[in-house]
Amino acid sequence: MKKALQLLNSFKYGGAENVALNYSIILKKLEISSIFCAKNNSEKYINNLIENHFLYEENISNHLISQVDYIFIHSNLNLLKLLKYKILGKLKGKKVFYIQHLHYSEKKFVMLSLLINYICTDFIQITPITSKLVSKYIRIKKHFIINFYITKYKKESWKEIRNLIRKKEGILQDRIVVTFSAVFKPMKNLKNFIELADSMKNNSNYIFLLIGDGEQSSLIKEYKGGNIIWKGFVNDVEKYLIASDIYCFMSKKEMMPMALIEAINTERKIIAYKTDLNDFMLDNNTFEKITSDTLINIDSYIKEEYLTKYDQLYALNKLQKLFDEI
């Protein structure tokens, strides 16, 4: 069995770390095992690796590099660490993939591209919003693969999950549940979601479900309305999405949000602001403004069209093609 090395900054639950885990699950189905390498900042994340039968190391070494056929770089720090191995010829014969998780200014990307073009063999673009920069500065082989989410529950079980979660939270089955999930940072626009809930606090047909926590938690702590259920961080957001009717995606600046992909994969009705990325992901079913009217008349505003799911089937097809081209 061939081996892949997943290079991360640290073992924790975050965007790049979840992407690496999802990649490894799909690679395993393609008979490619994975070794993770990062600083240990989460025993829980490591336990997840162990449960999935993945190996892990805390430092890059000649021995580790020699074991693998493919290297996936998820952070710029590890791109720099690989520089000496490139110079010493240790990467010869290996496929080295750089996955760009963050959006950079052109000035920074120009400098970054020099390292990427020298060290890596392939570049994985995860979002359309970087297309101009990638086309202009990346000279190695390019692949367009949206970050994917592997759902835990089959569609046949959704009704039962919906009923269980609503019973647990004391939500009547006929209520319309509007959900928002994020780490509470300014760019996530938690304030907008709370203002939306406040505008509908006298409409008992709608319940607002808030999942997450973080530096802006004071905004929800100060809210006086009784129509928001705040769950904090939960281990299984997917269950709560299944129990919901509408997902609110309030961010306006994202590279490729996993929260939005999860909502698409669970076939929720999605309300999001009009941005280039959201238009791409939601087939232009987006809004300049999000108000109570948006929620109440959502069926007349959003076209009933199939959205591309970035799920296990998508991932298998994309990664199979990736390795077929090697």
Side-chain angles (χ1 to χ4, degrees):
M1 180 179 281
K2 291 191 173 182
K3 295 180 181 179
L5 178 59
Q6 305 287 341
L7 293 177
L8 296 161
N9 279 341
S10 61
F11 294 127
K12 63 179 183 179
Y13 281 99
E17 293 77 17
N18 289 334
V19 169
L21 191 56
N22 284 337
Y23 261 76
S24 297
I25 290 170
I26 299 301
L27 291 177
K28 190 176 179 181
K29 293 180 182 296
L30 298 176
E31 298 187 342
I32 300 171
S33 63
S34 286
I35 303 172
F36 285 68
C37 184
K39 294 179 181 178
N40 182 0
N41 283 338
S42 171
E43 289 301 324
K44 185 177 178 182
Y45 189 89
I46 286 180
N47 288 337
N48 198 349
L49 297 180
I50 293 171
E51 288 171 9
N52 282 284
H53 306 290
F54 297 133
L55 300 175
Y56 68 93
E57 300 281 349
E58 292 194 32
N59 296 295
I60 303 176
S61 64
N62 284 328
H63 177 67
L64 182 59
I65 294 291
S66 69
Q67 293 182 61
V68 302
D69 305 279
Y70 312 110
I71 300 173
F72 289 85
I73 304 170
H74 297 273
S75 73
N76 294 335
L77 179 61
N78 283 303
L79 182 65
L80 282 169
K81 287 181 179 179
L82 283 183
L83 181 58
K84 74 171 184 178
Y85 296 98
K86 173 69 176 182
I87 293 171
L88 294 172
K90 302 296 183 180
L91 303 182
K92 188 175 181 180
K94 302 181 189 299
K95 297 294 287 185
V96 182
F97 301 89
Y98 178 87
I99 303 179
Q100 185 186 348
H101 293 291
L102 300 175
H103 197 16
Y104 304 111
S105 66
E106 183 166 3
K107 183 177 180 181
K108 185 170 182 178
F109 192 75
V110 168
M111 300 302 295
L112 188 61
S113 68
L114 297 176
L115 281 173
I116 293 171
N117 290 329
Y118 176 63
I119 295 171
C120 305
T121 60
D122 296 72
F123 182 96
I124 296 178
Q125 180 185 342
I126 68 168
T127 175
I129 66 175
T130 60
S131 293
K132 288 183 179 179
L133 287 179
V134 170
S135 177
K136 188 174 181 180
Y137 296 109
I138 297 300
R139 301 289 174 252
I140 55 177
K141 190 172 182 63
K142 295 180 280 284
H143 312 271
F144 186 61
I145 304 176
I146 301 297
N147 289 343
F148 44 87
Y149 174 75
I150 303 169
T151 53
K152 302 180 183 72
Y153 306 104
K154 294 183 178 179
K155 196 170 182 178
E156 302 84 70
S157 66
W158 286 2
K159 184 176 180 181
E160 181 183 0
I161 292 170
R162 175 186 173 92
N163 292 339
L164 286 172
I165 291 294
R166 286 183 173 232
K167 183 177 180 180
K168 175 185 173 184
E169 300 301 332
I171 302 172
L172 297 177
Q173 294 298 329
D174 63 348
R175 296 296 186 265
I176 298 171
V177 176
V178 184
T179 297
F180 173 90
S181 59
V183 176
F184 297 168
K185 297 179 179 180
M187 67 175 292
K188 301 297 183 180
N189 289 328
L190 170 63
K191 181 181 178 182
N192 297 38
F193 180 75
I194 294 174
E195 288 174 349
L196 181 62
D198 186 57
S199 72
M200 299 189 72
K201 62 186 175 186
N202 295 322
N203 189 331
S204 60
N205 292 324
Y206 290 82
I207 299 295
F208 290 78
L209 182 61
L210 179 59
I211 299 171
D213 208 333
E215 63 187 76
Q216 289 197 315
S217 61
S218 60
L219 294 176
I220 182 61
K221 291 174 182 176
E222 294 167 358
Y223 180 64
K224 304 301 181 184
N227 60 340
I228 294 182
I229 298 173
W230 179 26
K231 295 300 299 176
F233 287 122
V234 300
N235 292 327
D236 195 346
V237 175
E238 188 178 328
K239 276 188 176 181
Y240 286 89
L241 287 173
I242 291 168
S244 306
D245 300 287
I246 300 170
Y247 183 75
C248 274
F249 183 71
M250 312 303 277
S251 299
K252 295 181 180 180
K253 292 182 179 180
E254 297 266 0
M255 273 281 284
M256 184 48 64
M258 291 303 295
L260 184 56
I261 292 171
E262 287 182 63
I264 291 171
N265 286 356
T266 49
E267 299 180 7
R268 300 305 92 185
K269 295 176 182 176
I270 298 170
I271 289 178
Y273 287 110
K274 186 171 185 62
T275 68
D276 289 344
L277 176 63
N278 291 347
D279 281 344
F280 173 82
M281 298 293 288
L282 301 174
D283 194 26
N284 296 304
N285 287 287
T286 55
F287 302 86
E288 294 286 354
K289 295 181 179 179
I290 296 175
T291 66
S292 57
D293 177 73
T294 313
L295 291 181
I296 293 169
N297 296 297
I298 188 170
D299 289 333
S300 63
Y301 291 139
I302 294 181
K303 294 177 290 185
E304 288 294 330
E305 291 186 1
Y306 175 79
L307 294 175
T308 300
K309 288 185 179 179
Y310 302 99
D311 54 9
Q312 181 168 292
L313 181 60
Y314 169 88
L316 280 168
N317 289 336
K318 281 290 188 179
L319 293 191
Q320 182 65 70
K321 183 180 178 182
L322 181 76
F323 290 104
D324 284 346
E325 293 175 352
I326 293 176

